[in-house]
Amino acid sequence: MSSSFSVDPGVLLVGALLLVGVIASGFTSRFRIPSLLLFLGLGMAVADDGLAWIRFDDAVLAQNIAIAALAVILFDGGLGTDPRSFRSVGAPAGLLATVGVAITAGIVALAAWGLMGLDPTTALLLGAVISSTDAAAVFAALRTEPLPTRTSRLLQLESGLNDPAAVLLTVGMVEVWRADPSGWDWAGYLGVQVAVGVAVGVAVGWVGRWVVDHVRGGAAASLGVVTLAIAAISYGGAAVLGGSGLLAVYLTGVVLTGSERASRSVLYFHEGLAATAQSALFLLLGILVFPSELFGDLGLALVVVVTLVLVARPIAVAAVLVWWRTPLRHMAVVSWAGLRGAVPVVLATIPFTAGHPDGAVIFDVAFVVVVVSVAVQGPTISALARRLGVTADDSVFVRREIVAVDALDADIIEITVPGSTLVRSVTLRDDPPPGGARVAVIHRGDDTTVIPTGSTTVEPGDVLLVVTPRTCDLDELEAWSRSFLPLDGT
């Protein structure tokens, strides 16, 4: 008798690979080697061209796994997006996510057709697959690369909003190969995708926000699961209604991030899920690709990479941002930080599963594009930004609602004071936080913890943990935190 299942060895191997990858990434980070490359390498090592421990050729299953992982990543990206970004950079980000995607796809397709002799339909399909920036890669880079607030918000919004346009182009070009859709077919498909995606995403977000704000007692410990369920409802609801589930789940995350109960534990929960999903995607990409077949398409892949990074992306960025009189050095950083990652992996499976004769070629080229973007562009964003003088703003950062203390009907807020500027020399007694809040702990330097008194002053680089009653107005607390900075910025 046996109680084992056929899936058991696979679960064991995938778990071991993920664990090895996570542990090894801690060592590779010391040498500035992106951990995602390690997962790519692990996937290639255990697949058919390597040790042949895993034989996986189910493109449909791979596509389903990739889409589910991308939904998790986009939801986390929405949670990490400041809703105020729509007011400040919504217009240019929206144009980059639509017009910019079309320009990028067109220029890449022109190079693949004119220089490499690719069939026009295949060239356009290839351009569509790699036309959008990747939310997971961009959000991960912005967590570690200090860029100006406006630039960071622009990159975040663009990467969160441009997936529907890339999906439209990819699906549309597959249909052009199969049949001959009319202009009305394209317009109708885009309209339904965007309209339903926006409507469902915002509606589910507001309902979910109300649910999260009213969870009390023991159920508060399951907020991570609650928000994950909300994300699934948003994606699934929009997709079933014919809209863009990816756009919907991103917007739901954006709306939810304004919740008064968007605690640090929830953010950490989804950051962990997104990191796992991204690692799994790159592991899957490594398993699906055949390195022995890459050499035959390497010439095409290199032409596409050079065209994308040095021609198509810069032209698309300049064509949009010139209308906002954006300085050239800022355009250069936005262009270089337009990373490719999980999205091309997902989109490359569409022509592959549709039976397109060049589906394998498109997948191989997308693989090379992703590797170059992760290995070359990602680690050098900060160096380029510093070289061009595009550095982060000096501003107080307020992490609203990092812990909900339900038993005491209180919350803990984290306030980070920039270390690169002077602050006003005023004691907490003379300028206490509003609404009955109290500064409980100040983390100063690398290993200093200060228990504040009335005579304590705030210093550059301090991280304050503030205990607030549930009735405290968080906007007032945020305004108080920004009063540390001198009005003249000196």
Side-chain angles (χ1 to χ4, degrees):
M1 297 179 64
S2 175
S3 61
S4 62
F5 300 95
S6 59
V7 74
D8 296 346
V11 172
L12 173 62
L13 182 58
V14 171
L17 290 174
L18 287 174
L19 182 59
V20 169
V22 170
I23 295 174
S25 64
F27 296 98
T28 57
S29 62
R30 298 178 184 178
F31 304 99
R32 302 286 294 177
I33 300 175
S35 60
L36 295 178
L37 289 182
L38 182 62
F39 286 99
L40 272 176
L42 284 174
M44 295 166 64
V46 301
D48 293 305
D49 271 5
L51 299 173
W53 290 352
I54 295 180
R55 297 185 181 275
F56 185 76
D57 57 0
D58 190 336
V60 175
L61 177 58
Q63 185 182 73
N64 291 336
I65 294 173
I67 290 175
L70 185 57
V72 170
I73 293 168
L74 282 171
F75 183 66
D76 172 64
L79 290 175
T81 300
D82 190 338
R84 292 173 295 185
S85 301
F86 286 89
R87 294 194 295 270
S88 60
V89 296
L95 285 176
L96 278 176
T98 51
V99 176
V101 165
I103 292 174
T104 301
I107 294 176
V108 169
L110 186 62
W113 169 66
L115 298 179
M116 302 303 295
L118 218 60
D119 176 80
T121 301
T122 302
L124 285 168
L125 185 53
L126 175 59
V129 165
I130 63 173
S131 60
S132 67
T133 59
D134 179 66
V138 170
F139 290 134
L142 293 180
R143 289 191 183 104
T144 57
E145 308 298 344
L147 295 179
T149 301
R150 180 178 175 83
T151 302
S152 294
R153 289 178 174 177
L154 178 64
L155 288 166
Q156 284 181 324
L157 271 189
E158 179 202 6
S159 63
L161 296 174
N162 62 13
D163 294 320
V167 172
L168 168 70
L169 289 176
T170 303
V171 173
M173 291 314 303
V174 169
E175 290 304 314
V176 168
W177 164 67
R178 285 174 171 168
D180 188 18
S182 66
W184 286 109
D185 294 330
W186 283 76
Y189 177 74
L190 176 61
V192 172
Q193 284 275 301
V194 174
V196 174
V198 171
V200 172
V202 174
V204 173
W206 277 108
V207 174
R209 183 170 173 172
W210 183 90
V211 171
V212 170
D213 284 341
H214 289 80
V215 170
R216 292 291 185 271
S222 302
L223 276 181
V225 177
V226 171
T227 50
L228 182 61
I230 292 170
I233 292 171
S234 177
Y235 174 86
V240 168
L241 293 175
S244 171
L246 298 178
L247 177 60
V249 76
Y250 173 74
L251 293 178
T252 296
V254 173
V255 175
L256 274 180
T257 198
S259 166
E260 293 184 356
R261 302 295 306 284
S263 67
R264 169 71 67 85
S265 61
V266 172
L267 296 178
Y268 276 171
F269 175 80
H270 287 285
E271 283 180 12
L273 279 182
T276 302
Q278 189 177 27
S279 300
L281 269 178
F282 276 76
L283 182 64
L284 179 64
L285 175 59
I287 292 173
L288 288 175
V289 76
F290 288 85
S292 60
E293 298 179 1
L294 287 177
F295 294 101
D297 302 319
L298 192 57
L300 171 62
L302 292 178
V303 168
V304 169
V305 167
V306 172
T307 303
L308 172 66
V309 176
L310 300 182
V311 182
R313 173 69 177 174
I315 290 177
V317 169
V320 171
L321 297 188
V322 68
W323 302 103
W324 280 265
R325 298 181 179 178
T326 304
L328 286 177
R329 55 196 178 93
H330 285 258
M331 288 187 189
V333 172
V334 171
S335 175
W336 190 255
L339 305 179
R340 267 66 184 175
V343 173
V345 177
V346 177
L347 297 183
T349 63
I350 295 177
F352 198 82
T353 56
H356 193 282
D358 291 321
V361 174
I362 293 171
F363 192 92
D364 290 343
V365 173
F367 175 86
V368 176
V369 169
V370 169
V371 170
V372 171
S373 186
V374 171
V376 178
Q377 289 179 265
T380 57
I381 294 173
S382 181
L384 176 66
R386 288 195 302 268
R387 185 69 177 268
L388 297 178
V390 183
T391 56
D393 308 319
D394 287 331
S395 59
V396 174
F397 176 72
V398 179
R399 174 81 73 171
R400 301 169 71 124
E401 202 69 27
I402 68 168
V403 175
V405 189
D406 288 281
L408 303 178
D409 199 31
D411 304 304
I412 299 179
I413 311 297
E414 180 184 286
I415 298 174
T416 302
V417 181
S420 57
T421 185
L422 298 176
V423 298
R424 293 190 306 120
S425 180
V426 59
T427 65
L428 293 178
R429 180 185 299 110
D430 295 332
D431 189 12
R438 294 291 182 269
V439 180
V441 177
I442 298 178
H443 182 71
R444 181 168 294 165
D446 293 331
D447 55 4
T448 302
T449 299
V450 177
I451 305 300
T453 63
S455 60
T456 301
T457 58
V458 177
E459 298 182 5
D462 281 354
V463 178
L464 286 64
L465 293 183
V466 183
V467 180
T468 69
R470 191 62 51 79
T471 57
C472 178
D473 189 325
L474 296 183
D475 290 330
E476 289 184 7
L477 182 65
E478 185 168 350
W480 170 80
S481 69
R482 301 190 192 286
S483 70
F484 298 140
L485 301 181
L487 294 178
D488 59 2
T490 61

